[in-house]
mmCIF file of all heavy atoms in Angstrom:
data_model
loop_
_atom_site.group_PDB
_atom_site.id
_atom_site.type_symbol
_atom_site.label_atom_id
_atom_site.label_comp_id
_atom_site.label_asym_id
_atom_site.label_seq_id
_atom_site.Cartn_x
_atom_site.Cartn_y
_atom_site.Cartn_z
ATOM 1 N N ILE A 439 10.005 -1.259 164.988
ATOM 2 C CA ILE A 439 8.859 -0.700 165.693
ATOM 3 C C ILE A 439 8.573 -1.487 166.967
ATOM 4 O O ILE A 439 7.785 -1.078 167.804
ATOM 5 C CB ILE A 439 7.620 -0.668 164.778
ATOM 6 C CG1 ILE A 439 6.593 0.340 165.312
ATOM 7 C CG2 ILE A 439 7.001 -2.070 164.640
ATOM 8 C CD1 ILE A 439 5.490 0.656 164.355
ATOM 9 N N GLY A 440 9.269 -2.646 167.106
ATOM 10 C CA GLY A 440 9.051 -3.454 168.302
ATOM 11 C C GLY A 440 9.675 -2.839 169.532
ATOM 12 O O GLY A 440 9.201 -3.030 170.657
ATOM 13 N N ALA A 441 10.743 -2.082 169.338
ATOM 14 C CA ALA A 441 11.378 -1.440 170.480
ATOM 15 C C ALA A 441 10.562 -0.227 170.916
ATOM 16 O O ALA A 441 9.693 0.262 170.198
ATOM 17 C CB ALA A 441 12.789 -1.023 170.096
ATOM 18 N N LYS A 442 10.863 0.261 172.118
ATOM 19 C CA LYS A 442 10.158 1.429 172.637
ATOM 20 C C LYS A 442 10.474 2.645 171.769
ATOM 21 O O LYS A 442 11.633 2.947 171.492
ATOM 22 C CB LYS A 442 10.581 1.698 174.073
ATOM 23 C CG LYS A 442 9.861 2.896 174.713
ATOM 24 C CD LYS A 442 10.355 3.108 176.124
ATOM 25 C CE LYS A 442 9.598 4.261 176.779
ATOM 26 N NZ LYS A 442 9.815 5.522 176.128
ATOM 27 N N LEU A 443 9.443 3.333 171.294
ATOM 28 C CA LEU A 443 9.637 4.508 170.461
ATOM 29 C C LEU A 443 10.294 5.606 171.276
ATOM 30 O O LEU A 443 9.944 5.825 172.447
ATOM 31 C CB LEU A 443 8.302 5.014 169.915
ATOM 32 C CG LEU A 443 7.578 4.125 168.903
ATOM 33 C CD1 LEU A 443 6.242 4.734 168.536
ATOM 34 C CD2 LEU A 443 8.425 3.946 167.670
ATOM 35 N N PRO A 444 11.243 6.325 170.679
ATOM 36 C CA PRO A 444 11.901 7.407 171.411
ATOM 37 C C PRO A 444 11.074 8.687 171.452
ATOM 38 O O PRO A 444 11.589 9.738 171.813
ATOM 39 C CB PRO A 444 13.196 7.600 170.614
ATOM 40 C CG PRO A 444 12.852 7.211 169.233
ATOM 41 C CD PRO A 444 11.839 6.097 169.369
ATOM 42 N N PHE A 445 9.818 8.610 171.052
ATOM 43 C CA PHE A 445 8.940 9.772 171.069
ATOM 44 C C PHE A 445 7.507 9.268 171.032
ATOM 45 O O PHE A 445 7.231 8.113 170.711
ATOM 46 C CB PHE A 445 9.205 10.687 169.874
ATOM 47 C CG PHE A 445 9.369 9.939 168.578
ATOM 48 C CD1 PHE A 445 8.269 9.472 167.886
ATOM 49 C CD2 PHE A 445 10.630 9.693 168.073
ATOM 50 C CE1 PHE A 445 8.431 8.748 166.712
ATOM 51 C CE2 PHE A 445 10.798 8.979 166.905
ATOM 52 C CZ PHE A 445 9.691 8.505 166.218
ATOM 53 N N ASP A 446 6.584 10.147 171.336
ATOM 54 C CA ASP A 446 5.172 9.824 171.294
ATOM 55 C C ASP A 446 4.632 10.196 169.911
ATOM 56 O O ASP A 446 4.734 11.369 169.499
ATOM 57 C CB ASP A 446 4.413 10.583 172.391
ATOM 58 C CG ASP A 446 2.924 10.279 172.356
ATOM 59 O OD1 ASP A 446 2.525 9.239 172.910
ATOM 60 O OD2 ASP A 446 2.184 11.062 171.729
ATOM 61 N N ALA A 447 4.090 9.220 169.209
ATOM 62 C CA ALA A 447 3.655 9.452 167.829
ATOM 63 C C ALA A 447 2.584 10.525 167.751
ATOM 64 O O ALA A 447 2.593 11.371 166.847
ATOM 65 C CB ALA A 447 3.156 8.141 167.202
ATOM 66 N N GLU A 448 1.652 10.528 168.678
ATOM 67 C CA GLU A 448 0.573 11.517 168.624
ATOM 68 C C GLU A 448 1.107 12.913 168.913
ATOM 69 O O GLU A 448 0.707 13.899 168.278
ATOM 70 C CB GLU A 448 -0.531 11.139 169.612
ATOM 71 C CG GLU A 448 -1.855 11.832 169.353
ATOM 72 C CD GLU A 448 -2.408 11.534 167.955
ATOM 73 O OE1 GLU A 448 -2.176 10.427 167.433
ATOM 74 O OE2 GLU A 448 -3.063 12.439 167.376
ATOM 75 N N ALA A 449 2.025 13.000 169.870
ATOM 76 C CA ALA A 449 2.625 14.303 170.160
ATOM 77 C C ALA A 449 3.411 14.812 168.954
ATOM 78 O O ALA A 449 3.398 16.007 168.639
ATOM 79 C CB ALA A 449 3.534 14.195 171.384
ATOM 80 N N LEU A 450 4.093 13.890 168.279
ATOM 81 C CA LEU A 450 4.837 14.263 167.077
ATOM 82 C C LEU A 450 3.902 14.761 165.990
ATOM 83 O O LEU A 450 4.185 15.757 165.307
ATOM 84 C CB LEU A 450 5.645 13.065 166.564
ATOM 85 C CG LEU A 450 6.468 13.291 165.297
ATOM 86 C CD1 LEU A 450 7.512 14.366 165.509
ATOM 87 C CD2 LEU A 450 7.122 11.985 164.850
ATOM 88 N N ARG A 451 2.772 14.088 165.821
ATOM 89 C CA ARG A 451 1.786 14.507 164.810
ATOM 90 C C ARG A 451 1.353 15.956 165.064
ATOM 91 O O ARG A 451 1.298 16.780 164.147
ATOM 92 C CB ARG A 451 0.582 13.576 164.846
ATOM 93 C CG ARG A 451 -0.452 13.877 163.756
ATOM 94 C CD ARG A 451 -1.804 13.248 164.064
ATOM 95 N NE ARG A 451 -1.699 11.844 164.414
ATOM 96 C CZ ARG A 451 -1.699 10.855 163.522
ATOM 97 N NH1 ARG A 451 -1.790 11.140 162.230
ATOM 98 N NH2 ARG A 451 -1.616 9.600 163.918
ATOM 99 N N HIS A 452 1.045 16.259 166.303
ATOM 100 C CA HIS A 452 0.580 17.618 166.625
ATOM 101 C C HIS A 452 1.694 18.635 166.448
ATOM 102 O O HIS A 452 1.465 19.745 165.956
ATOM 103 C CB HIS A 452 0.046 17.661 168.063
ATOM 104 C CG HIS A 452 -1.253 16.931 168.227
ATOM 105 N ND1 HIS A 452 -2.369 17.215 167.489
ATOM 106 C CD2 HIS A 452 -1.607 15.909 169.064
ATOM 107 C CE1 HIS A 452 -3.375 16.411 167.846
ATOM 108 N NE2 HIS A 452 -2.927 15.611 168.797
ATOM 109 N N ALA A 453 2.915 18.278 166.828
ATOM 110 C CA ALA A 453 4.042 19.201 166.682
ATOM 111 C C ALA A 453 4.277 19.525 165.208
ATOM 112 O O ALA A 453 4.505 20.684 164.843
ATOM 113 C CB ALA A 453 5.289 18.605 167.307
#
Side-chain angles (χ1 to χ4, degrees):
I439 200 168
K442 182 181 182 297
L443 292 176
F445 44 79
D446 179 82
E448 198 59 32
L450 179 61
R451 184 197 310 273
H452 289 304

